[in-house]
Amino acid sequence: AQKITQTQPGMFVQEKEAVTLDCTYDTSDPSYGLFWYKQPSSGEMIFLIYQGSYDQQNATEGRYSLNFQKARKSANLVISASQLGDSAMYFCAMREGRDGGFKTIFGAGTRLFVKA
Amino acid sequence: EAEVAQSPRYKITEKSQAVAFWCDPISGHATLYWYRQILGQGPELLVQFQDESVVDDSQLPKDRFSAERLKGVDSTLKIQPAELGDSAMYLCASSFDSYEQYFGPGTRLTVT
């Protein structure tokens, strides 16, 4: 079964507008973390934002915010005021505990295209 | 700003040949990860080290892949023999704890 599901293979957004990238997850671990990474065409993975399962407030980092809906197991990324440089692949990931350690699982990604 | 270093950035090899990738994590990061990312997919963990010890290699094809981190600092991932299906991006990451992972630029492998 998919642990991380990103249902949008591709998304288009007009420059300066906001966009939401969807992510749902599946875990029975009460303690987990959710991440979003950006991967430009150059290939490196860039950390954007983190949300812990016990965090009461939604995480925010500049133009990025994470819409965390725990009951729905949803962790959508919201990018406000999109810029041309935001065009990239975006990956949702979950860290969950196992055997005393942690493992991070990535979704399949969403490719975002920002239009001028 | 400290970065994770990887080399080579690109590698083309023929099937059945041996290939090796190197990763130097950020200084002080005890945890080191090797991921494989097939085109169009998310990264998949191959092996995770805590210092010099392997803590997870459940997805590592051990008949052909090996990884080591002898002194708990830099690491080498080896494939022998390479197969066509090994063509992918190989990403190395490190973390101080299990929170944020810092990724290197990756090695793009093409097996012909």
Side-chain angles (χ1 to χ4, degrees):
Chain A
Q2 291 287 338
K3 290 267 190 176
I4 295 286
T5 302
Q6 295 182 253
T7 57
Q8 306 153 314
M11 287 282 288
F12 286 87
V13 64
Q14 194 68 41
E15 191 179 12
K16 300 180 184 177
E17 294 189 348
V19 63
T20 297
L21 306 184
D22 295 342
C23 173
T24 57
Y25 59 92
D26 182 27
T27 182
S28 57
D29 192 341
S31 177
Y32 54 90
L34 298 158
F35 301 79
W36 278 91
Y37 285 87
K38 173 184 178 181
Q39 188 177 42
S41 56
S42 52
E44 76 275 23
M45 298 282 283
I46 303 168
F47 167 78
L48 296 178
I49 196 166
Y50 168 80
Q51 179 86 41
S53 59
Y54 295 119
D55 293 342
Q56 295 296 312
Q57 292 190 323
N58 288 342
T60 60
E61 290 285 347
R63 295 186 299 111
Y64 305 106
S65 60
L66 198 151
N67 184 1
F68 183 43
Q69 298 187 42
K70 194 170 183 177
R72 297 179 59 185
K73 295 188 175 180
S74 167
N76 297 341
L77 176 71
V78 180
I79 305 175
S80 63
S82 297
Q83 301 172 357
L84 295 178
D86 293 335
S87 294
M89 283 290 289
Y90 288 82
F91 291 95
C92 179
M94 176 176 65
R95 181 202 66 192
E96 58 180 356
R98 50 92 187 105
D99 300 329
F102 295 93
K103 184 170 184 175
T104 302
I105 301 165
F106 286 79
T110 294
R111 183 170 293 280
L112 178 66
F113 300 91
V114 181
K115 300 182 290 183
Chain B
E1 184 175 310
E3 296 179 341
V4 175
Q6 286 188 251
S7 67
R9 293 292 307 276
Y10 304 92
K11 180 70 177 179
I12 300 173
T13 191
E14 294 182 348
K15 62 180 180 179
S16 79
Q17 295 298 305
V19 64
F21 314 130
W22 176 79
C23 173
D24 190 14
I26 293 173
S27 178
H29 282 193
T31 309
L32 184 147
Y33 314 78
W34 281 103
Y35 289 90
R36 177 173 59 186
Q37 185 179 21
I38 295 170
L39 189 64
Q41 298 182 18
E44 174 193 29
L45 181 70
L46 291 175
V47 61
Q48 178 177 337
F49 290 91
Q50 184 69 28
D51 297 310
E52 66 274 11
S53 300
V54 173
V55 297
D56 188 345
D57 63 355
S58 57
Q59 300 302 311
L60 189 72
K62 298 180 186 65
D63 57 334
R64 297 184 301 108
F65 285 64
S66 64
E68 61 183 15
R69 193 184 183 197
L70 292 176
K71 297 182 179 179
V73 181
D74 59 337
S75 176
T76 302
L77 177 70
K78 297 179 181 177
I79 308 175
Q80 182 173 19
E83 296 180 353
L84 296 177
D86 296 331
S87 294
M89 175 78 90
Y90 290 82
L91 293 164
C92 179
S94 69
S95 65
F96 177 71
D97 50 23
S98 295
Y99 173 57
E100 177 181 343
Q101 295 181 31
Y102 294 83
F103 283 81
T107 296
R108 191 175 296 278
L109 173 67
T110 301
V111 182
T112 62

